[in-house]
Amino acid sequence: AAAAAPATAAPIAVETGCGACDVCLGETLELPADEALLTAQKIISAAWRVDGRFGAGHVIDVLLGRRTDKVERAGHDRLGVYGLLATAGEAALRSWIDQLVVQGYLALREDGMFSFLVHTEAGKALCKGQGTVRLGRDVAPAKGKRGAKAAKGAAAPADVAPADQDLFARLRTLRKLIADHHGVPPYIVFNDVTLRALASQRPTDDRAMLTVKGVGESKLARYGAAFLAVIAGTSPEAAQSAME
């Protein structure tokens, strides 16, 4: 059985217009404001109703109306949120959960081997209609575009100056370690644009790091020390370990 987790937790915070989530990067079609709010409220409510004691996969099963053994044992098939987004699809729900984590309405809390999806105080307020939220749905690429995009992504390091490529690679390794530790996509930490800027500008203190596009006060507080350490020569593994 999963260990109990608090009903609320501090989110992996990002600033409004973070430049890192799919919506800000223009990789999804933004939902109308009313639809985004209602969808977000349903997802947050599901995490709330399962008492923050289960992972994102279980919350998705509940929202899709799946009768898994875990759902039935917990009695979550009797919740009002059960099947509330049955037609949304798993991929969309996973993307929306990621986006809500980015915006601070949900958070991931680790307890030993378990990772719990929990609502935040901001999420509670949003369920009461206080606040705004942005959600996007993936847009199917035009024929031939997926391969082109993949090729572009594979060639991305070539956009980094030769003198900065080693540091860029180490910063990307740190980003992956942090993302894996929290169970979130790497872009929630920093996107490639920000990593390139960090590799190029090589900030040496908090003030300099705040001048880098994509770095705000909350991300600086959460990740700044680790990224500054790697820029100074610390290994990504040691920098990530020091965060714990």
PDB file of all heavy atoms in Angstrom, residues 25-61:
ATOM      1  N   LEU A  25       5.721  27.379 -25.468  1.00  0.00           N
ATOM      2  CA  LEU A  25       6.612  27.075 -26.581  1.00  0.00           C
ATOM      3  C   LEU A  25       5.859  26.959 -27.903  1.00  0.00           C
ATOM      4  O   LEU A  25       6.459  26.735 -28.943  1.00  0.00           O
ATOM      5  CB  LEU A  25       7.365  25.766 -26.309  1.00  0.00           C
ATOM      6  CG  LEU A  25       8.409  25.834 -25.192  1.00  0.00           C
ATOM      7  CD1 LEU A  25       8.946  24.449 -24.898  1.00  0.00           C
ATOM      8  CD2 LEU A  25       9.534  26.783 -25.558  1.00  0.00           C
ATOM      9  N   GLY A  26       4.524  27.090 -27.853  1.00  0.00           N
ATOM     10  CA  GLY A  26       3.737  27.034 -29.074  1.00  0.00           C
ATOM     11  C   GLY A  26       3.620  25.643 -29.655  1.00  0.00           C
ATOM     12  O   GLY A  26       3.349  25.485 -30.847  1.00  0.00           O
ATOM     13  N   GLU A  27       3.830  24.604 -28.818  1.00  0.00           N
ATOM     14  CA  GLU A  27       3.788  23.234 -29.319  1.00  0.00           C
ATOM     15  C   GLU A  27       2.423  22.590 -29.125  1.00  0.00           C
ATOM     16  O   GLU A  27       2.231  21.434 -29.466  1.00  0.00           O
ATOM     17  CB  GLU A  27       4.870  22.405 -28.625  1.00  0.00           C
ATOM     18  CG  GLU A  27       6.271  22.883 -28.985  1.00  0.00           C
ATOM     19  CD  GLU A  27       7.358  22.118 -28.263  1.00  0.00           C
ATOM     20  OE1 GLU A  27       7.012  21.240 -27.444  1.00  0.00           O
ATOM     21  OE2 GLU A  27       8.537  22.389 -28.521  1.00  0.00           O
ATOM     22  N   THR A  28       1.471  23.326 -28.543  1.00  0.00           N
ATOM     23  CA  THR A  28       0.119  22.821 -28.382  1.00  0.00           C
ATOM     24  C   THR A  28      -0.869  23.906 -28.775  1.00  0.00           C
ATOM     25  O   THR A  28      -0.542  25.093 -28.802  1.00  0.00           O
ATOM     26  CB  THR A  28      -0.170  22.412 -26.921  1.00  0.00           C
ATOM     27  OG1 THR A  28      -0.035  23.563 -26.085  1.00  0.00           O
ATOM     28  CG2 THR A  28       0.771  21.329 -26.446  1.00  0.00           C
ATOM     29  N   LEU A  29      -2.091  23.482 -29.068  1.00  0.00           N
ATOM     30  CA  LEU A  29      -3.170  24.412 -29.360  1.00  0.00           C
ATOM     31  C   LEU A  29      -3.840  24.771 -28.041  1.00  0.00           C
ATOM     32  O   LEU A  29      -4.341  23.895 -27.334  1.00  0.00           O
ATOM     33  CB  LEU A  29      -4.179  23.760 -30.307  1.00  0.00           C
ATOM     34  CG  LEU A  29      -5.404  24.606 -30.679  1.00  0.00           C
ATOM     35  CD1 LEU A  29      -4.973  25.833 -31.472  1.00  0.00           C
ATOM     36  CD2 LEU A  29      -6.387  23.769 -31.492  1.00  0.00           C
ATOM     37  N   GLU A  30      -3.824  26.036 -27.682  1.00  0.00           N
ATOM     38  CA  GLU A  30      -4.346  26.449 -26.383  1.00  0.00           C
ATOM     39  C   GLU A  30      -5.860  26.289 -26.324  1.00  0.00           C
ATOM     40  O   GLU A  30      -6.587  26.677 -27.247  1.00  0.00           O
ATOM     41  CB  GLU A  30      -3.953  27.895 -26.090  1.00  0.00           C
ATOM     42  CG  GLU A  30      -4.291  28.320 -24.672  1.00  0.00           C
ATOM     43  CD  GLU A  30      -3.583  29.605 -24.265  1.00  0.00           C
ATOM     44  OE1 GLU A  30      -2.850  30.165 -25.102  1.00  0.00           O
ATOM     45  OE2 GLU A  30      -3.767  30.031 -23.118  1.00  0.00           O
ATOM     46  N   LEU A  31      -6.344  25.717 -25.219  1.00  0.00           N
ATOM     47  CA  LEU A  31      -7.779  25.553 -25.019  1.00  0.00           C
ATOM     48  C   LEU A  31      -8.410  26.901 -24.696  1.00  0.00           C
ATOM     49  O   LEU A  31      -7.758  27.775 -24.117  1.00  0.00           O
ATOM     50  CB  LEU A  31      -8.047  24.591 -23.856  1.00  0.00           C
ATOM     51  CG  LEU A  31      -7.513  23.163 -23.957  1.00  0.00           C
ATOM     52  CD1 LEU A  31      -7.930  22.371 -22.716  1.00  0.00           C
ATOM     53  CD2 LEU A  31      -8.010  22.478 -25.210  1.00  0.00           C
ATOM     54  N   PRO A  32      -9.688  27.090 -25.044  1.00  0.00           N
ATOM     55  CA  PRO A  32     -10.389  28.304 -24.621  1.00  0.00           C
ATOM     56  C   PRO A  32     -10.330  28.425 -23.102  1.00  0.00           C
ATOM     57  O   PRO A  32     -10.282  27.414 -22.387  1.00  0.00           O
ATOM     58  CB  PRO A  32     -11.824  28.064 -25.106  1.00  0.00           C
ATOM     59  CG  PRO A  32     -11.678  27.099 -26.244  1.00  0.00           C
ATOM     60  CD  PRO A  32     -10.533  26.207 -25.869  1.00  0.00           C
ATOM     61  N   ALA A  33     -10.327  29.643 -22.596  1.00  0.00           N
ATOM     62  CA  ALA A  33     -10.126  29.881 -21.164  1.00  0.00           C
ATOM     63  C   ALA A  33     -11.116  29.113 -20.297  1.00  0.00           C
ATOM     64  O   ALA A  33     -10.734  28.503 -19.289  1.00  0.00           O
ATOM     65  CB  ALA A  33     -10.219  31.378 -20.874  1.00  0.00           C
ATOM     66  N   ASP A  34     -12.400  29.123 -20.669  1.00  0.00           N
ATOM     67  CA  ASP A  34     -13.411  28.432 -19.863  1.00  0.00           C
ATOM     68  C   ASP A  34     -13.173  26.927 -19.851  1.00  0.00           C
ATOM     69  O   ASP A  34     -13.299  26.273 -18.806  1.00  0.00           O
ATOM     70  CB  ASP A  34     -14.818  28.730 -20.396  1.00  0.00           C
ATOM     71  CG  ASP A  34     -15.249  30.163 -20.136  1.00  0.00           C
ATOM     72  OD1 ASP A  34     -14.562  30.853 -19.345  1.00  0.00           O
ATOM     73  OD2 ASP A  34     -16.261  30.595 -20.722  1.00  0.00           O
ATOM     74  N   GLU A  35     -12.830  26.378 -21.005  1.00  0.00           N
ATOM     75  CA  GLU A  35     -12.580  24.939 -21.094  1.00  0.00           C
ATOM     76  C   GLU A  35     -11.326  24.558 -20.313  1.00  0.00           C
ATOM     77  O   GLU A  35     -11.289  23.528 -19.630  1.00  0.00           O
ATOM     78  CB  GLU A  35     -12.430  24.522 -22.557  1.00  0.00           C
ATOM     79  CG  GLU A  35     -12.228  23.021 -22.743  1.00  0.00           C
ATOM     80  CD  GLU A  35     -12.072  22.622 -24.199  1.00  0.00           C
ATOM     81  OE1 GLU A  35     -12.311  23.482 -25.084  1.00  0.00           O
ATOM     82  OE2 GLU A  35     -11.701  21.459 -24.453  1.00  0.00           O
ATOM     83  N   ALA A  36     -10.296  25.397 -20.401  1.00  0.00           N
ATOM     84  CA  ALA A  36      -9.057  25.126 -19.671  1.00  0.00           C
ATOM     85  C   ALA A  36      -9.311  25.133 -18.166  1.00  0.00           C
ATOM     86  O   ALA A  36      -8.817  24.260 -17.437  1.00  0.00           O
ATOM     87  CB  ALA A  36      -7.999  26.164 -20.029  1.00  0.00           C
ATOM     88  N   LEU A  37     -10.087  26.103 -17.701  1.00  0.00           N
ATOM     89  CA  LEU A  37     -10.377  26.195 -16.269  1.00  0.00           C
ATOM     90  C   LEU A  37     -11.154  24.975 -15.791  1.00  0.00           C
ATOM     91  O   LEU A  37     -10.812  24.367 -14.771  1.00  0.00           O
ATOM     92  CB  LEU A  37     -11.168  27.470 -15.976  1.00  0.00           C
ATOM     93  CG  LEU A  37     -11.616  27.656 -14.520  1.00  0.00           C
ATOM     94  CD1 LEU A  37     -10.407  27.694 -13.584  1.00  0.00           C
ATOM     95  CD2 LEU A  37     -12.448  28.931 -14.374  1.00  0.00           C
ATOM     96  N   LEU A  38     -12.195  24.588 -16.531  1.00  0.00           N
ATOM     97  CA  LEU A  38     -13.011  23.446 -16.126  1.00  0.00           C
ATOM     98  C   LEU A  38     -12.194  22.155 -16.146  1.00  0.00           C
ATOM     99  O   LEU A  38     -12.291  21.329 -15.227  1.00  0.00           O
ATOM    100  CB  LEU A  38     -14.223  23.323 -17.051  1.00  0.00           C
ATOM    101  CG  LEU A  38     -15.223  22.198 -16.711  1.00  0.00           C
ATOM    102  CD1 LEU A  38     -15.766  22.377 -15.295  1.00  0.00           C
ATOM    103  CD2 LEU A  38     -16.361  22.175 -17.724  1.00  0.00           C
ATOM    104  N   THR A  39     -11.370  21.988 -17.169  1.00  0.00           N
ATOM    105  CA  THR A  39     -10.528  20.794 -17.264  1.00  0.00           C
ATOM    106  C   THR A  39      -9.541  20.739 -16.105  1.00  0.00           C
ATOM    107  O   THR A  39      -9.355  19.694 -15.470  1.00  0.00           O
ATOM    108  CB  THR A  39      -9.767  20.786 -18.605  1.00  0.00           C
ATOM    109  OG1 THR A  39     -10.707  20.775 -19.681  1.00  0.00           O
ATOM    110  CG2 THR A  39      -8.866  19.565 -18.711  1.00  0.00           C
ATOM    111  N   ALA A  40      -8.910  21.869 -15.819  1.00  0.00           N
ATOM    112  CA  ALA A  40      -7.952  21.929 -14.717  1.00  0.00           C
ATOM    113  C   ALA A  40      -8.637  21.618 -13.390  1.00  0.00           C
ATOM    114  O   ALA A  40      -8.092  20.886 -12.551  1.00  0.00           O
ATOM    115  CB  ALA A  40      -7.302  23.309 -14.665  1.00  0.00           C
ATOM    116  N   GLN A  41      -9.820  22.153 -13.185  1.00  0.00           N
ATOM    117  CA  GLN A  41     -10.544  21.908 -11.940  1.00  0.00           C
ATOM    118  C   GLN A  41     -10.865  20.425 -11.767  1.00  0.00           C
ATOM    119  O   GLN A  41     -10.782  19.884 -10.659  1.00  0.00           O
ATOM    120  CB  GLN A  41     -11.827  22.743 -11.911  1.00  0.00           C
ATOM    121  CG  GLN A  41     -11.573  24.234 -11.722  1.00  0.00           C
ATOM    122  CD  GLN A  41     -12.825  25.073 -11.876  1.00  0.00           C
ATOM    123  OE1 GLN A  41     -13.766  24.695 -12.593  1.00  0.00           O
ATOM    124  NE2 GLN A  41     -12.858  26.226 -11.225  1.00  0.00           N
ATOM    125  N   LYS A  42     -11.210  19.752 -12.851  1.00  0.00           N
ATOM    126  CA  LYS A  42     -11.511  18.320 -12.775  1.00  0.00           C
ATOM    127  C   LYS A  42     -10.270  17.516 -12.404  1.00  0.00           C
ATOM    128  O   LYS A  42     -10.323  16.594 -11.582  1.00  0.00           O
ATOM    129  CB  LYS A  42     -12.083  17.837 -14.113  1.00  0.00           C
ATOM    130  CG  LYS A  42     -13.477  18.370 -14.424  1.00  0.00           C
ATOM    131  CD  LYS A  42     -13.943  17.928 -15.805  1.00  0.00           C
ATOM    132  CE  LYS A  42     -15.344  18.456 -16.112  1.00  0.00           C
ATOM    133  NZ  LYS A  42     -15.800  18.051 -17.472  1.00  0.00           N
ATOM    134  N   ILE A  43      -9.138  17.862 -13.010  1.00  0.00           N
ATOM    135  CA  ILE A  43      -7.899  17.129 -12.737  1.00  0.00           C
ATOM    136  C   ILE A  43      -7.435  17.374 -11.303  1.00  0.00           C
ATOM    137  O   ILE A  43      -7.071  16.438 -10.575  1.00  0.00           O
ATOM    138  CB  ILE A  43      -6.808  17.536 -13.739  1.00  0.00           C
ATOM    139  CG1 ILE A  43      -7.213  17.110 -15.157  1.00  0.00           C
ATOM    140  CG2 ILE A  43      -5.471  16.907 -13.363  1.00  0.00           C
ATOM    141  CD1 ILE A  43      -6.306  17.659 -16.250  1.00  0.00           C
ATOM    142  N   ILE A  44      -7.447  18.629 -10.890  1.00  0.00           N
ATOM    143  CA  ILE A  44      -7.023  18.961  -9.524  1.00  0.00           C
ATOM    144  C   ILE A  44      -7.954  18.302  -8.510  1.00  0.00           C
ATOM    145  O   ILE A  44      -7.506  17.769  -7.485  1.00  0.00           O
ATOM    146  CB  ILE A  44      -7.003  20.488  -9.328  1.00  0.00           C
ATOM    147  CG1 ILE A  44      -5.950  21.122 -10.236  1.00  0.00           C
ATOM    148  CG2 ILE A  44      -6.712  20.841  -7.867  1.00  0.00           C
ATOM    149  CD1 ILE A  44      -6.071  22.630 -10.362  1.00  0.00           C
ATOM    150  N   SER A  45      -9.247  18.307  -8.796  1.00  0.00           N
ATOM    151  CA  SER A  45     -10.216  17.684  -7.895  1.00  0.00           C
ATOM    152  C   SER A  45      -9.948  16.191  -7.743  1.00  0.00           C
ATOM    153  O   SER A  45     -10.076  15.636  -6.648  1.00  0.00           O
ATOM    154  CB  SER A  45     -11.642  17.903  -8.410  1.00  0.00           C
ATOM    155  OG  SER A  45     -12.000  19.269  -8.345  1.00  0.00           O
ATOM    156  N   ALA A  46      -9.557  15.539  -8.836  1.00  0.00           N
ATOM    157  CA  ALA A  46      -9.266  14.107  -8.767  1.00  0.00           C
ATOM    158  C   ALA A  46      -8.071  13.846  -7.860  1.00  0.00           C
ATOM    159  O   ALA A  46      -8.095  12.932  -7.021  1.00  0.00           O
ATOM    160  CB  ALA A  46      -9.011  13.556 -10.166  1.00  0.00           C
ATOM    161  N   ALA A  47      -7.005  14.647  -8.011  1.00  0.00           N
ATOM    162  CA  ALA A  47      -5.840  14.492  -7.135  1.00  0.00           C
ATOM    163  C   ALA A  47      -6.228  14.755  -5.681  1.00  0.00           C
ATOM    164  O   ALA A  47      -5.743  14.091  -4.756  1.00  0.00           O
ATOM    165  CB  ALA A  47      -4.731  15.446  -7.574  1.00  0.00           C
ATOM    166  N   TRP A  48      -7.118  15.705  -5.486  1.00  0.00           N
ATOM    167  CA  TRP A  48      -7.595  16.071  -4.155  1.00  0.00           C
ATOM    168  C   TRP A  48      -8.417  14.928  -3.555  1.00  0.00           C
ATOM    169  O   TRP A  48      -8.220  14.534  -2.399  1.00  0.00           O
ATOM    170  CB  TRP A  48      -8.438  17.333  -4.291  1.00  0.00           C
ATOM    171  CG  TRP A  48      -8.751  18.071  -3.028  1.00  0.00           C
ATOM    172  CD1 TRP A  48      -8.660  17.617  -1.746  1.00  0.00           C
ATOM    173  CD2 TRP A  48      -9.211  19.426  -2.941  1.00  0.00           C
ATOM    174  NE1 TRP A  48      -9.038  18.592  -0.862  1.00  0.00           N
ATOM    175  CE2 TRP A  48      -9.383  19.713  -1.564  1.00  0.00           C
ATOM    176  CE3 TRP A  48      -9.501  20.402  -3.884  1.00  0.00           C
ATOM    177  CZ2 TRP A  48      -9.837  20.957  -1.121  1.00  0.00           C
ATOM    178  CZ3 TRP A  48      -9.949  21.637  -3.435  1.00  0.00           C
ATOM    179  CH2 TRP A  48     -10.112  21.909  -2.075  1.00  0.00           C
ATOM    180  N   ARG A  49      -9.336  14.364  -4.349  1.00  0.00           N
ATOM    181  CA  ARG A  49     -10.261  13.345  -3.835  1.00  0.00           C
ATOM    182  C   ARG A  49      -9.574  12.032  -3.490  1.00  0.00           C
ATOM    183  O   ARG A  49     -10.085  11.265  -2.671  1.00  0.00           O
ATOM    184  CB  ARG A  49     -11.386  13.086  -4.848  1.00  0.00           C
ATOM    185  CG  ARG A  49     -12.259  14.297  -5.144  1.00  0.00           C
ATOM    186  CD  ARG A  49     -12.804  14.938  -3.896  1.00  0.00           C
ATOM    187  NE  ARG A  49     -13.531  16.166  -4.193  1.00  0.00           N
ATOM    188  CZ  ARG A  49     -13.827  17.094  -3.291  1.00  0.00           C
ATOM    189  NH1 ARG A  49     -13.452  16.929  -2.037  1.00  0.00           N
ATOM    190  NH2 ARG A  49     -14.483  18.187  -3.643  1.00  0.00           N
ATOM    191  N   VAL A  50      -8.430  11.758  -4.100  1.00  0.00           N
ATOM    192  CA  VAL A  50      -7.711  10.527  -3.735  1.00  0.00           C
ATOM    193  C   VAL A  50      -6.709  10.810  -2.616  1.00  0.00           C
ATOM    194  O   VAL A  50      -5.842   9.983  -2.315  1.00  0.00           O
ATOM    195  CB  VAL A  50      -7.008   9.883  -4.951  1.00  0.00           C
ATOM    196  CG1 VAL A  50      -8.019   9.561  -6.040  1.00  0.00           C
ATOM    197  CG2 VAL A  50      -5.895  10.766  -5.499  1.00  0.00           C
ATOM    198  N   ASP A  51      -6.843  11.976  -2.003  1.00  0.00           N
ATOM    199  CA  ASP A  51      -6.094  12.347  -0.793  1.00  0.00           C
ATOM    200  C   ASP A  51      -4.592  12.475  -1.006  1.00  0.00           C
ATOM    201  O   ASP A  51      -3.816  12.336  -0.056  1.00  0.00           O
ATOM    202  CB  ASP A  51      -6.351  11.340   0.337  1.00  0.00           C
ATOM    203  CG  ASP A  51      -7.815  11.320   0.763  1.00  0.00           C
ATOM    204  OD1 ASP A  51      -8.446  12.393   0.741  1.00  0.00           O
ATOM    205  OD2 ASP A  51      -8.321  10.239   1.094  1.00  0.00           O
ATOM    206  N   GLY A  52      -4.160  12.723  -2.241  1.00  0.00           N
ATOM    207  CA  GLY A  52      -2.734  12.902  -2.477  1.00  0.00           C
ATOM    208  C   GLY A  52      -1.905  11.677  -2.153  1.00  0.00           C
ATOM    209  O   GLY A  52      -0.715  11.781  -1.879  1.00  0.00           O
ATOM    210  N   ARG A  53      -2.518  10.491  -2.210  1.00  0.00           N
ATOM    211  CA  ARG A  53      -1.827   9.261  -1.823  1.00  0.00           C
ATOM    212  C   ARG A  53      -1.498   8.363  -3.010  1.00  0.00           C
ATOM    213  O   ARG A  53      -1.092   7.218  -2.835  1.00  0.00           O
ATOM    214  CB  ARG A  53      -2.684   8.482  -0.814  1.00  0.00           C
ATOM    215  CG  ARG A  53      -2.914   9.212   0.500  1.00  0.00           C
ATOM    216  CD  ARG A  53      -3.833   8.437   1.441  1.00  0.00           C
ATOM    217  NE  ARG A  53      -3.332   7.097   1.705  1.00  0.00           N
ATOM    218  CZ  ARG A  53      -3.949   5.972   1.331  1.00  0.00           C
ATOM    219  NH1 ARG A  53      -5.078   6.036   0.641  1.00  0.00           N
ATOM    220  NH2 ARG A  53      -3.444   4.797   1.630  1.00  0.00           N
ATOM    221  N   PHE A  54      -1.669   8.884  -4.231  1.00  0.00           N
ATOM    222  CA  PHE A  54      -1.440   8.071  -5.424  1.00  0.00           C
ATOM    223  C   PHE A  54      -0.699   8.890  -6.475  1.00  0.00           C
ATOM    224  O   PHE A  54      -0.686  10.116  -6.436  1.00  0.00           O
ATOM    225  CB  PHE A  54      -2.771   7.564  -5.985  1.00  0.00           C
ATOM    226  CG  PHE A  54      -3.501   6.630  -5.055  1.00  0.00           C
ATOM    227  CD1 PHE A  54      -4.331   7.128  -4.065  1.00  0.00           C
ATOM    228  CD2 PHE A  54      -3.331   5.257  -5.160  1.00  0.00           C
ATOM    229  CE1 PHE A  54      -4.992   6.273  -3.189  1.00  0.00           C
ATOM    230  CE2 PHE A  54      -3.988   4.393  -4.295  1.00  0.00           C
ATOM    231  CZ  PHE A  54      -4.820   4.905  -3.305  1.00  0.00           C
ATOM    232  N   GLY A  55      -0.106   8.176  -7.414  1.00  0.00           N
ATOM    233  CA  GLY A  55       0.646   8.828  -8.469  1.00  0.00           C
ATOM    234  C   GLY A  55      -0.237   9.331  -9.595  1.00  0.00           C
ATOM    235  O   GLY A  55      -1.457   9.112  -9.615  1.00  0.00           O
ATOM    236  N   ALA A  56       0.403   9.986 -10.567  1.00  0.00           N
ATOM    237  CA  ALA A  56      -0.327  10.563 -11.691  1.00  0.00           C
ATOM    238  C   ALA A  56      -1.054   9.489 -12.493  1.00  0.00           C
ATOM    239  O   ALA A  56      -2.172   9.704 -12.968  1.00  0.00           O
ATOM    240  CB  ALA A  56       0.629  11.340 -12.591  1.00  0.00           C
ATOM    241  N   GLY A  57      -0.437   8.312 -12.646  1.00  0.00           N
ATOM    242  CA  GLY A  57      -1.065   7.248 -13.423  1.00  0.00           C
ATOM    243  C   GLY A  57      -2.397   6.817 -12.841  1.00  0.00           C
ATOM    244  O   GLY A  57      -3.363   6.564 -13.572  1.00  0.00           O
ATOM    245  N   HIS A  58      -2.467   6.739 -11.517  1.00  0.00           N
ATOM    246  CA  HIS A  58      -3.715   6.344 -10.860  1.00  0.00           C
ATOM    247  C   HIS A  58      -4.778   7.427 -11.031  1.00  0.00           C
ATOM    248  O   HIS A  58      -5.950   7.117 -11.292  1.00  0.00           O
ATOM    249  CB  HIS A  58      -3.461   6.090  -9.373  1.00  0.00           C
ATOM    250  CG  HIS A  58      -4.684   5.665  -8.616  1.00  0.00           C
ATOM    251  ND1 HIS A  58      -5.136   4.364  -8.591  1.00  0.00           N
ATOM    252  CD2 HIS A  58      -5.566   6.381  -7.865  1.00  0.00           C
ATOM    253  CE1 HIS A  58      -6.230   4.291  -7.852  1.00  0.00           C
ATOM    254  NE2 HIS A  58      -6.517   5.501  -7.405  1.00  0.00           N
ATOM    255  N   VAL A  59      -4.377   8.681 -10.884  1.00  0.00           N
ATOM    256  CA  VAL A  59      -5.329   9.786 -11.063  1.00  0.00           C
ATOM    257  C   VAL A  59      -5.882   9.764 -12.488  1.00  0.00           C
ATOM    258  O   VAL A  59      -7.079   9.983 -12.707  1.00  0.00           O
ATOM    259  CB  VAL A  59      -4.656  11.139 -10.753  1.00  0.00           C
ATOM    260  CG1 VAL A  59      -5.586  12.302 -11.106  1.00  0.00           C
ATOM    261  CG2 VAL A  59      -4.260  11.209  -9.280  1.00  0.00           C
ATOM    262  N   ILE A  60      -5.024   9.471 -13.452  1.00  0.00           N
ATOM    263  CA  ILE A  60      -5.468   9.374 -14.843  1.00  0.00           C
ATOM    264  C   ILE A  60      -6.464   8.232 -15.005  1.00  0.00           C
ATOM    265  O   ILE A  60      -7.497   8.379 -15.676  1.00  0.00           O
ATOM    266  CB  ILE A  60      -4.257   9.188 -15.776  1.00  0.00           C
ATOM    267  CG1 ILE A  60      -3.459  10.497 -15.864  1.00  0.00           C
ATOM    268  CG2 ILE A  60      -4.697   8.736 -17.171  1.00  0.00           C
ATOM    269  CD1 ILE A  60      -2.134  10.364 -16.573  1.00  0.00           C
ATOM    270  N   ASP A  61      -6.178   7.088 -14.385  1.00  0.00           N
ATOM    271  CA  ASP A  61      -7.108   5.954 -14.456  1.00  0.00           C
ATOM    272  C   ASP A  61      -8.478   6.341 -13.912  1.00  0.00           C
ATOM    273  O   ASP A  61      -9.517   5.967 -14.478  1.00  0.00           O
ATOM    274  CB  ASP A  61      -6.558   4.768 -13.663  1.00  0.00           C
ATOM    275  CG  ASP A  61      -5.406   4.068 -14.366  1.00  0.00           C
ATOM    276  OD1 ASP A  61      -5.258   4.260 -15.592  1.00  0.00           O
ATOM    277  OD2 ASP A  61      -4.659   3.332 -13.696  1.00  0.00           O
TER     278      ASP A  61
END
